[in-house]
Amino acid sequence: MSSLKGKKILLAVSGSIAAYKAAPLTRLLIKEGAEVKIVMTPTATTFITPLTLATLSKNEVIHEIVDDHAWNNHVELGLWADVMLVAPATATTLSKMASGLADNMVIACYLSAKCPVYFAPAMDLDMWKHPSTSHNIKRLLSYGNKLIPVGHGELASGLIGDGRMAEPEDIIDILFLELDKKKDLKGKIVIITAGPTYEKIDPVRFIGNHSSGKMGIALAEECYRRGAAVHLILGPSRLLPDSHEIDVHQVTSAQEMYEETLSLHHKADIAIMAAAVADYRPAHPSDSKIKKKEGDMSILLERTHDIAATIGMSKKDHQIHVGFALETDNVMKNAQMKLQNKNFDLIVLNSLKDPGAGFKHDTNKVTIISKDGTKKEFPLKLKNEVARDIVNAIVNIKVAPTV
Ligand code: CTP
């Protein structure tokens, strides 16, 4: 585990019910060796007192631009910080950050900061989903600020959904990885299959499935963030990764995905098979549109290659293979069989019976099963958080050194 020893963190707290999390967050930062200074918006002080945060951070907390007729020096604070962390960042604060409306100490410091700025939004579901919020976040990202994704769960309104501020432990994890430059996949080559495959029936029809590619794309982003060179072999998805450095190999059919994966596998350290690959394809696809006739019709299907099983046969000792199992019945038994039969080191099981899990959703609920039989069940989380849990499990696998 890395540490934040000696890092100077400027924590900016804005006025959300999640402001209470600033207290455990400050304690964790201090415990990891960081030096913490805190600024607050005036509204934030109604949720948590400056005295509490001053005591925990062992530093004065500033919440007004002018105190006792003296001007508080936001420029100095902005320059002092190695990192500025806006947590919680309310919809108002995001909007002020995006437009540069410096009517409080948090925004004044933000505009003076020369360091990386992370923001952890916290708001209710409707505010989170509003296009104004998305627009502000896009602007903040385009200025180089970094988003700490929101969590999923019960919100202050009682609604269940996205918008919860990330948990302090997760924020610390992100800071570890980014600040400490702890890139635990540095030097590794990762190949990831993702998305659906389309199997041609004729020029206008195909056999496909509901996979969106979101889970595989989230894994590609996570591996890239942790220092890996990533090849994403992506079936026909509407989505693409945000990071341009991820090498995307777009394919359509199971056969194309098979060929692309095989051509990359020999150089991979880690192969993650997140695609929903068709097991069958029409044996005789037609080059012209099939016209309807009286009566029923049937299409003869033939097996496609099992990509994971094929690369599993030539897996070297230093390579790690990870698979997914999407099951509806006998979930654990089927997942364990796939783990064995396809020579995976880990299999990520998601049951279609869990609400919010599987295809299309932004969330997933998984159990990670290792070759040695250990099982770890995770709660429903956003797919990027699930990706982090999966990559944490991958980096903990001991493998032979690369030859
Ligand atoms: N997989 C693959 N190539 C295939 C089928 C599956 O690489 N032709 C991979 C998937 O990406 C996943 C794992 O194998 O990592 C399990 O896929 P899944 O569809 O759950 O299982 P199948 O082996 O297809 O078995 P079944 O459809 O009978 O459950």
Side-chain angles (χ1 to χ4, degrees):
M1 176 69 73
S2 56
S3 95
L4 300 174
K5 203 163 171 20
K7 299 284 184 218
K8 298 189 185 91
I9 307 218
L10 179 61
L11 175 62
V13 183
S14 65
S16 144
I17 183 72
Y20 79 91
K21 292 187 185 172
L25 180 58
T26 304
R27 286 190 63 186
L28 282 175
L29 289 168
I30 299 275
K31 196 167 143 233
E32 294 302 333
E35 203 182 326
V36 183
K37 292 191 178 176
I38 300 178
V39 290
M40 302 173 80
T41 63
T43 323
T45 64
T46 61
F47 288 95
I48 183 164
T49 69
L51 180 63
T52 303
L53 296 180
T55 311
L56 291 173
S57 66
K58 303 183 182 71
N59 271 314
E60 182 196 1
V61 170
I62 301 172
H63 51 89
E64 297 292 349
I65 294 187
V66 177
D67 270 343
D68 297 330
H69 308 296
W71 172 72
N72 281 316
N73 196 335
H74 54 87
V75 181
E76 220 168 63
L77 273 173
L79 293 177
W80 169 85
D82 293 321
V83 123
M84 181 172 182
L85 173 60
V86 189
T90 59
T92 308
T93 291
L94 291 181
S95 160
K96 288 183 182 178
M97 285 168 73
S99 61
L101 179 61
D103 66 349
N104 64 39
M105 196 59 191
V106 164
I107 309 297
C109 286
Y110 163 69
L111 292 178
S112 300
K114 297 278 177 285
C115 57
V117 178
Y118 290 78
F119 60 101
M123 63 197 73
D124 228 284
L125 181 62
D126 301 344
M127 298 169 90
W128 176 248
K129 292 262 178 235
H130 199 283
S132 297
T133 303
S134 320
H135 180 73
N136 286 331
I137 288 179
K138 272 198 198 117
R139 266 170 80 184
L140 290 174
L141 293 175
S142 76
Y143 304 154
N145 301 305
K146 294 167 204 252
L147 169 68
I148 298 181
V150 294
H152 181 90
E154 186 168 355
L155 300 158
S157 61
L159 292 173
I160 309 266
D162 298 344
R164 279 171 71 89
M165 183 177 116
E167 294 307 322
E169 292 76 12
D170 293 333
I171 296 179
I172 298 279
D173 263 4
I174 290 173
L175 291 186
F176 274 160
L177 289 169
E178 307 255 348
L179 256 187
D180 201 33
K181 300 279 179 261
K182 183 171 175 286
K183 303 281 186 189
D184 49 8
L185 290 180
K186 199 169 165 55
K188 301 286 181 205
I189 298 177
V190 180
I191 61 171
I192 302 174
T193 66
T197 63
Y198 287 177
E199 308 306 323
K200 180 178 166 183
I201 297 173
D202 71 11
V204 290
R205 303 177 183 98
F206 59 85
I207 298 175
N209 60 64
H210 290 303
S211 169
S212 62
K214 276 183 193 156
M215 193 64 245
I217 290 173
L219 279 160
E221 293 282 6
E222 180 67 13
C223 291
Y224 166 68
R225 217 166 52 77
R226 292 167 78 150
V230 181
H231 295 273
L232 177 67
I233 306 143
L234 182 63
S237 163
R238 288 166 194 269
L239 308 169
L240 280 174
D242 288 334
S243 311
H244 297 299
E245 292 80 359
I246 293 172
D247 207 341
V248 182
H249 306 249
Q250 284 178 304
V251 296
T252 304
S253 64
Q255 181 63 22
E256 285 171 18
M257 190 174 273
Y258 170 79
E259 286 167 15
E260 202 64 26
T261 307
L262 256 59
S263 75
L264 293 164
H265 177 244
H266 67 280
K267 60 177 178 184
D269 298 290
I270 299 166
I272 307 177
M273 303 285 103
V277 189
D279 291 325
Y280 296 91
R281 64 173 163 240
H284 307 290
S286 167
D287 284 334
S288 37
K289 188 181 171 206
I290 301 170
K291 302 301 283 178
K292 69 172 170 294
K293 301 193 185 86
E294 284 306 314
D296 299 336
M297 77 171 283
S298 58
I299 299 172
L300 178 67
L301 300 177
E302 65 182 12
R303 281 289 304 269
T304 58
H305 292 289
D306 189 317
I307 305 169
T310 308
I311 61 167
M313 286 192 278
S314 59
K315 180 158 102 71
K316 305 273 187 309
D317 287 346
H318 76 277
Q319 291 180 312
I320 295 175
H321 285 191
V322 176
F324 276 75
L326 183 66
E327 305 290 344
T328 52
D329 305 292
N330 295 326
V331 291
M332 196 54 75
K333 192 162 158 267
N334 283 334
Q336 275 162 334
M337 266 170 57
K338 283 176 191 170
L339 177 90
Q340 260 186 5
N341 295 345
K342 304 197 189 204
N343 200 10
F344 289 137
D345 297 273
L346 281 185
I347 193 152
V348 182
L349 163 66
N350 36 123
S351 166
L352 267 187
K353 287 189 173 155
D354 285 320
F359 290 155
K360 286 185 182 164
H361 297 284
D362 288 331
T363 50
N364 208 353
K365 182 174 181 318
V366 304
T367 303
I368 300 180
I369 308 164
S370 313
K371 207 157 56 174
D372 64 12
T374 49
K375 298 184 192 92
K376 195 161 177 200
E377 205 177 325
F378 293 85
L380 190 72
K381 291 185 177 196
L382 288 173
K383 284 187 172 165
N384 51 11
E385 298 174 305
V386 176
R388 191 156 4 109
D389 292 335
I390 295 171
V391 176
N392 286 342
I394 293 174
V395 296
N396 280 330
I397 299 176
K398 302 271 173 291
V399 286
T402 316
V403 282

